[in-house]
Every structure is written in C-alpha cells, then in structure tokens.
Amino acid sequence: LAPYATYNVRDMQQAGSTEKVNILVQWDKPKDKKTWRYKIEKNKRVETGSLNQEMGINPERELVECMQWAKDNYPAKHYMLVLWNHGAGVMDVKSAQEPTIQPWLHVPGMPTEEKRGILYDDSDHTFLDNQALQRALSKIKNNVLGKKLDILGMDACLMAMTEVAYQVKGSADYLVASQHLEPGNGWDYSGFLNPLVANPTLFNPKTLAQTIVLSYGNYYENRYSKCTQSAIDINKINNVRTTLNKVVRCLNKCRKLKRGKTNSMITQARNDVTEFYGKDYIDLYDFYDCVLNKAKRYRYNVLSGKTQKKKRRNYKFKIEINKLFRAASLAKKALDDAVVGNITGPSFPNAHGLSIYYPAYSIHYSYPKTSFARNSRWLKFIRRYS
C-alpha cells in the first residue's frame, strides 16, 4: 500500500499546516529501518523528529510515543489521531500468517493476502490487536494528553463497528470509520483539510468528523458504488449496548414461548440483513428492521379486538412481540443518536453507519476477548443463532 500512502500525504500537502492547525505524519516506508516524521506544509513535507529505528517492532508503544512527540512539539487544544493501514474490523489474529477473512484497506484489482490486524507491518509481521489498541489509547489519554482524543479516525476497511467504538469508548469522543471496504485512495484529505485550515473557528470535533464523512462521500460519489463512511459519537455507545441487550432479552422471551417461530424469525432476518465484506459483519440498524419485518405477522393489535384467552401461550407470545417492537424502536433511536454522520453508496441503501459482528457460521476465537462481548448479551445470542 506504500504508493497510496504517498498519494495521501501529497493530498494533505494541498492544505498544509498553519498557525492554527498542524498536520503531522508518522510513516513507515518500505525497505528502510527508520521511523519517518513530517510536518505537512503547503506543497511540501518537512522532516522533523524522525527516528533512526524501525517502526513496527512494538506498535502499542510506538503509537503512544507518536502522540507524545505531537503533544510535546505541537501542543493544541484539540487532537485527531488517524490510523492508516489494512484492517479487519473487530477480529484479531494469533499470527501474521493466519489466512485472511477480511483485508483492512481494499485495493481494487489486487488479490487478498494475509488477514490483517490494526497497523499491520509487512516487514516486521506485527500488528495492533483490539486489546493493545485499547491500552495504547488509554495511555494517550491518561499519560500524554490528559484528556480524550477529540476524534479517532480509521482510514481503513470495516472499522465502523459497535464493538470497535465500545473498545475505545473511554479514550475518544468521536470515531470516523467505514463499515465496508475502502478503496486504495482512502480518505479525501484535502476535501476536509482545506476548509479546516482556511477557517478552523468554524469547526468543533463533531462538525469536523461530519465533514470528513461528507468529503469522503463526495469524492467517491461517481467512483465507488460501495462506499461507506460514518461519524460516531462514542459517548452514546453505552446506550447502543443497553438497548441492544433489551432487544436480545425480548427475543429470548419470545423463544421460550415459541421456539420454532422465533428461531425462524431470527434466521430469516439474518439472511436478509445488509452484510459487508466477508459476511460476518452486518448493519445493526438494518438487523432490527429485518427482525421486525419478520415479527410483524405475529404482532398483537390491541385495538382490533381480544385474543382468545384460552390460547394463552399464543397470546403471551404476541404480547412479547409487541414488547420487542418497543425495544427495537428504542434501539434504533439509540443508533440514530450515536451515528452523527453517515454516507453510503447505492450498493448499500440500508447501511446506517454501525456494524456488528454476527457470523453466519462459527465465532472467531478473538471475539470473546473484546470488551463488548464481555459486557453485553450479544455473544450468547450469536452463539445460539449462528
């Protein structure tokens, strides 16, 4: 992907740093043993603070040190950290050689190679897994900045996930990422940096996150029909989890009353839902819609008359279906509140900005380690219905 890194840096140079905005890059180029650091100026990049040591030996430590360099030399009121590389969403790998299910950054026309973690290093065969990402961002918050990052960006594939946002919820306010694959060119850096450096007082973290999403959508409007990009208010992710738990609880109650109907309803919904590359990641909002679409035949309309009380079990099932509709309505509202920016290409009309892990078959061994799996009802649910 090195040529695309060069393309992105040149794109940043169209804007360049100003007295109010610093654009900084830490870059691991191929075939050298150096960590390159640059301040991006108008039409040029200025090397500053580069290290004569290989980048990629310890990604967790290097990420923290990168932010320390930025804070010490270019202190600011607001910070956005963008991770650029391949990506595989919430799933991690045991080794760099494990066969791939998802790549991070999609290069059209190129074959899929190894499965990627975060910040995968081709020469050192290292990467940053979800736990290391969480630790690094926590150190940045507590030991470097003394506050949360304003924006965590992931110029990468498949990272706009409920689980990813939950994993970093204590360390950043906004997440900008893609539900589906990103083309090799990645973000449209000049598209949002030009207006930012021209008048930074017009922006706050939320509006900048939204502008990144809009510029991405504008850039790929006639180039890539499968483009997706989201801005997520991470501070709302707890409510996404809470309302999801309530939906799962309602489905469990329905299953106790009518196992066959509930199983069929969920299976059909899973078959119909919007899937992203690899088919293990689905759109969470669309999943709620698909479940409700299958459940509506069982709904009890209280206004239309009374159900025979002697059919007690059927009556209770319909009541639980009504509760499911109420719970799903609240869950969809929680997603609407969390996703503050979302663009989709024509290939994904029902993508709403946040994915969730729901494998069609087996559950990846890394998933139970995630914070979301440990702190929600979702893992038990997908174990039952995958």
Side-chain angles (χ1 to χ4, degrees), residues 162 179 240 273-274 276 282-292 328-337 339 342 350-356:
T162 305
Q179 288 183 278
V240 172
V273 73
T274 298
F276 302 101
I282 65 168
D283 186 86
L284 181 54
Y285 193 107
D286 192 41
F287 179 66
Y288 292 144
D289 276 345
C290 288
V291 168
L292 296 184
S329 177
L330 292 173
K332 293 192 326 184
K333 184 180 184 305
L335 285 170
D336 283 335
D337 291 342
V339 179
N342 181 44
N350 296 319
H352 290 78
L354 260 179
S355 307
I356 197 165

Side-chain angles (χ1 to χ4, degrees), residues 79-326:
Y79 294 88
M80 175 171 71
L81 171 63
V82 182
L83 307 181
W84 178 99
N85 199 246
H86 287 285
V90 74
M91 289 192 289
D92 295 320
V93 296
K94 286 181 178 176
S95 71
Q97 282 72 39
E98 183 180 348
T100 188
I101 299 175
Q102 286 94 358
W104 190 333
L105 193 70
H106 176 57
V107 184
M110 290 185 66
T112 297
E113 298 177 357
E114 298 163 338
K115 184 174 175 184
R116 306 288 178 164
I118 297 171
L119 299 184
Y120 187 90
D121 190 289
D122 290 292
S123 56
D124 293 301
H125 300 290
T126 59
F127 62 91
L128 200 70
D129 66 20
N130 281 280
Q131 286 69 47
L133 173 66
Q134 187 178 54
R135 291 193 301 268
L137 294 180
S138 179
K139 291 173 185 175
I140 289 170
K141 174 194 171 186
N142 296 322
N143 304 335
V144 179
L145 301 181
K147 62 176 183 177
K148 292 181 181 181
L149 289 164
D150 293 277
I151 302 173
L152 174 64
M154 294 190 176
D155 187 359
C157 297
L158 304 165
M159 302 304 292
M161 298 195 68
T162 305
E163 293 91 343
V164 173
Y166 192 84
Q167 194 79 12
V168 303
K169 66 185 176 71
S171 302
D173 286 324
Y174 292 93
L175 173 67
V176 179
S178 173
Q179 288 183 278
H180 191 55
L181 305 181
E182 287 194 0
N185 286 358
W187 284 12
D188 177 29
Y189 286 93
S190 61
F192 67 86
L193 286 175
N194 279 326
L196 174 65
V197 301
N199 200 338
T201 58
L202 295 179
F203 290 85
N204 58 39
K206 180 179 179 180
T207 55
L208 178 55
Q210 292 170 326
T211 301
I212 296 168
V213 171
L214 290 174
S215 67
Y216 186 93
N218 291 336
Y219 181 82
Y220 288 110
E221 185 174 6
N222 297 314
R223 292 182 171 99
Y224 184 47
S225 66
K226 296 182 179 181
C227 70
T228 59
Q229 198 73 205
S230 311
I232 298 139
D233 184 344
I234 302 176
N235 297 305
K236 304 289 180 63
I237 203 66
N238 274 334
N239 196 37
V240 172
R241 181 207 59 179
T242 298
T243 53
L244 172 65
N245 283 343
K246 290 179 180 179
V247 171
V248 170
R249 189 160 50 242
C250 286
L251 288 169
N252 288 340
K253 289 183 178 179
C254 290
R255 188 174 187 269
K256 288 180 180 179
L257 293 166
K258 296 283 185 179
R259 175 174 294 199
K261 287 182 179 180
T262 304
N263 288 351
S264 176
M265 186 171 68
I266 294 170
T267 299
Q268 291 177 41
R270 176 62 184 84
N271 290 338
D272 292 348
V273 73
T274 298
E275 298 174 324
F276 302 101
Y277 183 84
K279 299 187 177 182
D280 283 343
Y281 300 157
I282 65 168
D283 186 86
L284 181 54
Y285 193 107
D286 192 41
F287 179 66
Y288 292 144
D289 276 345
C290 288
V291 168
L292 296 184
N293 184 51
K294 303 304 176 185
K296 63 185 179 183
R297 73 187 78 170
Y298 307 120
R299 196 171 186 184
Y300 172 45
N301 188 348
V302 179
L303 299 177
S304 66
K306 296 180 179 180
T307 301
Q308 293 289 334
K309 292 295 180 78
K310 64 181 180 181
K311 298 181 180 178
R312 194 70 182 172
R313 193 172 188 83
N314 199 44
Y315 172 76
K316 287 183 177 180
F317 179 68
K318 290 178 180 291
I319 292 298
E320 291 301 331
I321 291 291
N322 275 19
K323 291 179 181 178
L324 171 64
F325 269 79
R326 290 193 291 272

